Amino acid sequence: MGNQFEHLRLPRIINIELPRRATGGGFGGTKRTDVSEHGKQLLGQISSLIEPVKQKISPFRLDPKLIFKIKVAEKHTFSDNLVTQIGLNVLAREPNKAIVVFSSDNELAEFKKRLENYSQIKDGPKYEYLGAIDELVPLEPEDRIGHLLDIKRVEAGEVAALDLELWHTGDRKEMQNYLDKIAQVLEELSSGTAPMRMSDKYIGEYLCIARIKVTHEVLELLLLEEMVKEIDRPPQPGFERTGDYNLPISSFPEVVPPPEDNCGILVIDSGVLRGHPLIAPVLGEAEVFPDAKREVIQGGPDDVHGHGTSVAGIAIYGNIENCIKQLSFEPTAWLFSARVTDENGKYDEDILVETQLHEAIRAFVEHYPNCKVINISLGNDEQIYRDGLKQFRLAAKIDEIAYQYQDKNIVFVISAGNAFYEEAQSNEQLRTEYPNYLLNKSARIIDPATSAIALTVGSLSFGRGSITEPSDVRRQAIANLSGYPSPFTRTGFGVDGMIKPDVVDFGGDLVLDLSYRENLGLPKVNVLPDSVAGVSVVTLSKDFNSSLFHICSGTSFAAPRVANLAAQLFTKYPKASSNLIRALIVNSAVLPKEIPPEFQCNSKQSQSQNTKQIENQLAIYGYGQSDLERAMYSAENYVVLSEDNILIPVGKFHIYEIPQLPPEFFEVEGTRILSITLAFDPPTRPTRGDSYLGVTMEFNLFKGIDRESIVNAYVDASKTDVPDKFAEISLDILKKKHKGSNIVCNLSPTSTLRKKATVQRGQVEITPRAIKYNNLPMILVVNCNRKWANPDEIEMQRYALVASISHSAPQVNLYNRMRLQINQRSDREQERLRGRV
């Protein structure tokens, strides 16, 4: 990239934080004409809900709570505020608009009183908003059966380890009491042949879960309990294949530990081989969680399985192949290891994964201030995300921890997961249908890759064939081109349509054995059982006495490459927020030079076809492959402007100015790219199907228009009662006032697509004819919307912003011209402030 320069500051126009009006009453939709009949119908449904609760006798002796669903009519809304007014509390909102509610009053007196007025049985207020309710529905035992338990039910005679989740009322003492009662009854019901118990529990802000061991009969009783939200089988991690890579190093170089204050990476996995000569000098600490007494997991923090050692090697060295070629091993990050699986690569039967995760992170992050990056290359293959599902529990826990430890500025990096196909039919499909099958529902990302605040990483092929058997035409790599997606990578989108994965990196390829069955003459297509040298990732082997290295393929090994990059950025910018690190990584990402034709945009295609292609690209590549140098430094022809740790009042907006682009930027031939990236870390809640994020943010960029016009439009928009449509209203006002003028920068992907996530990038290629980019500074407006987040708890949202402008011609000296403008603007601002004193 030529000379390396420090990034510049993005100028913000201060003192423009315009007030936004609060949202209205929360009822939307047309009025009903059959009010009397509809009201009586709802009153009848209330009676049906109340009676079973009164009559119910349960061995668990839980205080009865009346829990049911309010189904909201199509094209209607019913706010949390209205739910409270009728004497109910919101437990969850489902994607189909149903609201799960509870009441401590088993008579529902307030609700009945208002329904009697609404249905005109009694005189008084009309409460027309009750017309938005379609029906009131009880929760059935089947509603409480989780996905994994549904696949594999508990059999007669089995004592199954299960995860029990209760509806969280918001009162931790009450939830503790519920769990204590359940634990007590399980002990009472236990026998020598059926030893039942509660072995672990976790009560958070919105999660109340326990690990229980129960028989089929007791499970059936628990499924009848109103307070039970869901019972499921525990998750288990899936691991990739590995192969030997016997590469001798005759004169093994000395490993020099990194400087003491370099950033550290916590690898939560199957442990690490502490005695490995390439790990020992870099290892800060290794521990088993939460098995400090070594009663459950044998062998202590050491890695019996090998997966954790492979992941850790890439996390601390990045590209190990380069280290081998150069015979130089210079680790760029410290390593911390939390072992969470047993010698068989399984999670513990008695302990919640959420407990292990929380304990591990707390132990390392609170004791080691430089431990800021957490790599999780574990995923549950059976928890595949589907459109309309709410957030998975483990992913939700990761987001909760990220929010809870905001002051520690942790960056989570998670692998997207692998879709390895075992059956012959599927392997044939790998060969003939690649890459289209990557967009199948079965290839979607898995828990916990759906985490909103983590960076999710998909996988790319190196584009190489087999090194060991290059002339064997029967052995063919599936992707076989550099930058093509790995045949096993999992794809997006995520919760609420978030762009996932965020980025991609090298994770390898698969090789097919195209041998023939001699007796039948039929083609036989098998994925080779072990990884193959050349197409696979080279990393560290747990069996280091026989070989220091081995090879493997999987998204598990793409994620630590990004974790290494994040750690190097933290070392360079130790005071950076986790938001700035995420924004720099995503802003630096580029699509590979070659991508499959199926995902390319084409000038001959219609706009709708290209829109679909962009969506497909995002689902597979996210924003592309990150580049450390572009993330860390600016150059003469590549300028990065950034702002960090900015607090925006929820419901307001900030305005920034991107300096005017110099004439030579347009005059010199080449490719010109403008990119804006926003990252923020809002509160999250998996019980909210209406919006997983409690606060959302978005941005819009304007060109060829003065600041005052934009401010006026946003002032007018602030007077509306539609907070979620605030940005759209502002744009409409501007477009009407400036008809025929193209004042909005059409960034890709569109705001509609990108604004659903916590890290968002919009990019545009600037053509030489786009003169509106150089006659005035560009204006960037960032706004923040409140979803369900309570104003009493969350007044401000922090965020980071990165803008970059690049020209492919190295002679365009963009950096110095923009730095001069920013300095001049800063001097003028200081002068103006001094004049006020």
Side-chain angles (χ1 to χ4, degrees):
M1 194 200 280
N3 291 337
Q4 296 176 334
F5 300 129
E6 298 300 315
H7 296 329
L8 301 176
R9 191 170 178 191
L10 180 64
R12 177 151 64 102
I13 300 168
I14 59 171
N15 300 328
I16 301 182
E17 283 182 358
L18 303 180
R20 293 267 301 277
R21 289 179 65 174
T23 178
F27 163 60
T30 53
K31 293 179 184 177
R32 286 185 184 266
T33 53
D34 58 341
V35 168
S36 177
E37 187 183 331
H38 175 243
K40 288 171 185 172
Q41 197 176 18
L42 292 178
L43 282 165
Q45 289 168 4
I46 283 182
S47 298
S48 301
L49 290 168
I50 290 171
E51 285 310 310
V53 175
K54 286 182 180 177
Q55 297 162 7
K56 191 169 183 179
I57 299 169
S58 162
F60 289 98
R61 306 185 292 274
L62 303 183
D63 295 332
K65 279 272 195 299
L66 190 53
I67 297 174
F68 59 95
K69 282 185 191 179
I70 296 175
K71 288 198 170 179
V72 181
E74 201 175 333
K75 297 183 180 175
H76 284 66
T77 55
F78 204 77
S79 70
D80 289 8
N81 185 35
L82 291 178
V83 173
T84 308
Q85 283 180 32
I86 59 177
L88 303 172
N89 300 82
V90 175
L91 285 173
R93 282 185 177 265
E94 300 194 339
N96 62 5
K97 291 179 69 178
I99 311 168
V100 181
V101 295
F102 82 91
S103 173
S104 299
D105 171 19
N106 287 331
E107 297 293 335
L108 298 181
E110 183 61 32
F111 194 7
K112 282 197 286 192
K113 186 180 102 179
R114 293 187 181 224
L115 276 173
E116 284 166 354
N117 283 5
Y118 166 74
S119 57
Q120 299 164 9
I121 295 171
K122 291 183 178 177
D123 292 333
K126 292 182 179 177
Y127 302 121
E128 289 176 339
Y129 58 80
L130 295 174
I133 299 174
D134 237 4
E135 59 178 329
L136 309 172
V137 183
L139 291 167
E140 303 293 345
E142 282 294 314
D143 296 328
R144 302 183 180 106
I145 294 174
H147 174 67
L148 300 180
L149 182 56
D150 191 34
I151 294 170
K152 187 184 177 188
R153 300 288 178 121
V154 175
E155 297 175 3
E158 180 186 0
V159 180
L162 300 172
D163 283 355
L164 164 76
E165 182 176 3
L166 301 185
W167 290 109
H168 200 316
T169 63
D171 184 334
R172 287 195 181 192
K173 264 191 182 172
E174 183 179 37
M175 301 318 297
Q176 181 68 57
N177 188 36
Y178 280 129
L179 290 181
D180 288 346
K181 283 184 177 178
I182 293 171
Q184 184 184 340
V185 174
L186 289 182
E187 295 283 353
E188 290 169 3
L189 296 174
S190 188
S191 67
T193 54
M196 292 184 289
R197 65 191 177 103
M198 182 180 290
S199 58
D200 193 19
K201 60 191 173 189
Y202 171 81
I203 303 172
E205 291 292 325
Y206 53 76
L207 274 179
C208 178
I209 48 180
R211 176 66 54 81
I212 58 173
K213 287 189 175 176
V214 294
T215 60
H216 170 77
E217 292 76 16
V218 174
L219 171 62
E220 293 297 306
L221 290 172
L222 281 167
L223 289 170
L224 294 169
E225 287 294 331
E226 296 287 333
M227 282 308 299
V228 172
K229 179 176 185 278
E230 186 176 86
I231 302 178
D232 208 355
R233 287 195 183 270
Q236 286 300 342
F239 293 115
E240 298 91 340
R241 304 178 179 89
T242 60
D244 290 334
Y245 190 69
N246 294 314
L247 187 76
I249 294 185
S250 48
S251 54
F252 186 75
E254 182 187 357
V255 176
V256 180
E260 199 170 310
D261 55 357
N262 270 32
C263 180
I265 301 171
L266 171 60
V267 174
I268 298 179
D269 213 288
S270 61
V272 292
L273 250 293
R274 290 173 292 173
H276 195 295
L278 291 173
I279 284 178
V282 197
L283 185 61
E285 188 183 343
E287 191 49 273
V288 183
F289 289 90
D291 185 33
K293 294 178 182 176
R294 309 282 189 269
E295 292 171 352
V296 180
I297 297 176
Q298 304 302 313
D302 272 336
D303 182 10
V304 179
H305 186 276
H307 188 265
T309 302
S310 299
V311 171
I314 297 165
I316 52 180
Y317 291 104
N319 189 336
I320 288 179
E321 245 180 293
N322 274 356
C323 297
I324 294 169
K325 284 175 188 170
Q326 294 163 13
L327 284 182
S328 172
F329 286 83
E330 296 180 9
T332 49
W334 287 98
L335 173 65
F336 301 97
S337 168
R339 181 176 172 184
V340 293
T341 61
D342 65 16
E343 55 274 20
N344 299 312
K346 301 289 184 185
Y347 293 129
D348 184 69
E349 198 176 74
D350 292 337
I351 303 165
L352 291 161
V353 183
E354 289 82 357
T355 301
Q356 290 182 292
L357 194 72
H358 189 88
E359 292 295 322
I361 291 166
R362 183 169 63 182
F364 283 103
V365 168
E366 291 185 0
H367 286 93
Y368 298 96
N370 68 328
C371 182
K372 291 186 174 182
V373 181
I374 298 175
N375 189 99
I376 301 176
S377 289
L378 301 172
N380 182 0
D381 293 340
E382 293 181 311
Q383 292 282 44
I384 301 171
Y385 188 74
R386 297 277 192 273
D387 290 333
L389 283 183
K390 284 187 281 188
Q391 181 60 287
F392 293 123
R393 208 175 65 213
L394 189 56
K397 179 62 188 169
I398 289 167
D399 288 331
E400 183 189 69
I401 292 170
Y403 188 72
Q404 178 187 346
Y405 283 100
Q406 271 186 341
D407 61 319
K408 304 288 187 185
N409 288 305
I410 302 169
V411 170
F412 282 93
V413 182
I414 302 177
S415 59
N418 307 299
F420 283 120
Y421 299 86
E422 301 295 343
E423 298 171 12
Q425 184 182 351
S426 295
N427 294 336
E428 176 66 31
Q429 180 192 36
L430 283 175
R431 179 167 164 261
T432 58
E433 296 187 23
Y434 173 86
N436 292 315
Y437 66 78
L438 292 173
L439 296 172
N440 292 350
K441 288 179 180 177
S442 59
R444 295 284 289 275
I445 54 174
I446 55 176
D447 186 23
T450 50
S451 162
I453 301 177
L455 285 173
T456 303
V457 186
S459 180
L460 298 177
S461 163
F462 288 107
R464 305 180 300 213
S466 168
I467 289 174
T468 51
E469 297 164 277
S471 60
D472 191 342
V473 294
R474 296 170 302 169
R475 296 193 164 187
Q476 294 183 2
I478 295 168
N480 210 28
L481 286 169
S482 180
Y484 269 43
S486 299
F488 45 76
T489 192
R490 287 192 173 276
T491 56
F493 293 127
V495 177
D496 295 342
M498 291 180 199
I499 292 171
K500 288 282 174 180
D502 299 280
V503 291
V504 287
D505 214 313
F506 292 121
D509 204 338
L510 291 180
V511 171
L512 296 180
D513 180 2
L514 306 179
S515 59
Y516 288 84
R517 278 180 257 174
E518 293 175 9
N519 56 339
L520 295 175
L522 294 174
K524 178 187 175 189
V525 183
N526 285 325
V527 175
L528 293 181
D530 294 321
S531 296
V532 175
V535 305
S536 306
V537 178
V538 179
T539 185
L540 307 186
S541 167
K542 73 178 179 70
D543 303 316
F544 62 87
N545 287 319
S546 56
S547 175
L548 289 170
F549 310 101
H550 74 165
I551 52 176
C552 37
S553 288
T555 61
S556 284
F557 314 109
R561 289 176 78 105
V562 175
N564 177 268
L565 195 150
Q568 290 196 61
L569 286 171
F570 265 130
T571 298
K572 167 74 176 167
Y573 302 111
K575 293 182 179 176
S577 74
S578 51
N579 288 327
L580 180 61
I581 300 300
R582 287 194 298 145
L584 287 169
I585 287 171
V586 167
N587 195 75
S588 75
V590 292
L591 274 181
K593 289 179 182 176
E594 295 287 336
I595 66 172
E598 292 88 343
F599 309 138
Q600 292 175 14
C601 292
N602 192 322
S603 56
K604 294 177 183 177
Q605 291 178 328
S606 66
Q607 187 175 349
S608 62
Q609 285 175 313
N610 275 331
T611 300
K612 187 62 186 168
Q613 295 299 77
I614 289 169
E615 286 183 19
N616 290 344
Q617 282 177 17
L618 290 166
I620 288 169
Y621 291 99
Y623 290 105
Q625 185 175 19
S626 301
D627 180 274
L628 177 64
E629 196 171 9
R630 284 168 53 86
M632 195 176 279
Y633 297 106
S634 293
E636 281 101 335
N637 60 335
Y638 171 72
V639 182
V640 175
L641 313 167
S642 66
E643 272 277 50
D644 191 18
N645 270 319
I646 307 301
L647 290 175
I648 185 168
V650 181
K652 297 191 179 182
F653 58 88
H654 286 164
I655 298 181
Y656 293 83
E657 184 178 286
I658 294 177
Q660 193 171 332
L661 298 169
E664 68 176 304
F665 182 79
F666 297 91
E667 292 162 4
V668 177
E669 284 188 21
T671 304
R672 308 162 191 81
I673 302 291
L674 167 66
S675 182
I676 309 288
T677 304
L678 165 74
F680 66 108
D681 45 5
T684 54
R685 196 167 291 166
T687 53
R688 302 296 298 223
D690 53 337
S691 173
Y692 177 58
L693 308 182
V695 167
T696 59
M697 292 187 71
E698 59 184 299
F699 60 85
N700 284 285
L701 186 64
F702 301 92
K703 63 182 190 290
I705 183 172
D706 61 280
R707 183 200 308 172
E708 287 68 29
S709 297
I710 293 170
V711 171
N712 290 338
Y714 274 73
V715 169
D716 291 344
S718 71
K719 296 171 184 174
T720 67
D721 288 323
V722 195
D724 282 358
K725 301 289 182 187
F726 177 69
E728 288 93 324
I729 293 166
S730 305
L731 290 175
D732 287 344
I733 292 168
L734 283 167
K735 285 174 181 175
K736 282 174 186 171
K737 285 186 178 175
H738 299 268
K739 277 186 180 172
S741 298
N742 189 11
I743 56 166
V744 180
C745 297
N746 294 317
L747 303 174
S748 178
T750 63
S751 180
T752 308
L753 262 177
R754 67 176 183 260
K755 72 179 181 181
K756 296 167 182 176
T758 68
V759 58
Q760 313 166 12
R761 188 184 76 185
Q763 204 170 67
V764 64
E765 183 174 342
I766 301 173
T767 65
R769 298 189 301 276
I771 53 168
K772 284 202 171 173
Y773 283 99
N774 70 342
N775 62 357
L776 282 172
M778 283 171 277
I779 305 295
L780 176 65
V781 183
V782 177
N783 62 293
C784 183
N785 295 316
R786 187 179 300 283
K787 302 303 263 186
W788 49 260
N790 190 328
D792 297 336
E793 297 169 11
I794 298 151
E795 295 178 6
M796 312 285 275
Q797 174 61 55
R798 72 170 194 166
Y799 70 95
L801 203 56
V802 172
S804 65
I805 302 140
S806 66
H807 197 297
S808 59
Q811 71 268 30
V812 176
N813 194 344
L814 196 57
Y815 184 87
N816 285 323
R817 290 174 180 271
M818 297 202 87
R819 184 177 62 175
L820 185 64
Q821 281 194 66
I822 290 167
N823 290 343
Q824 287 173 346
R825 188 186 181 286
S826 177
D827 292 343
R828 287 196 304 273
E829 190 64 38
Q830 291 297 322
E831 191 66 35
R832 188 179 66 80
L833 291 172
R834 278 196 295 270
R836 284 182 168 187
V837 177

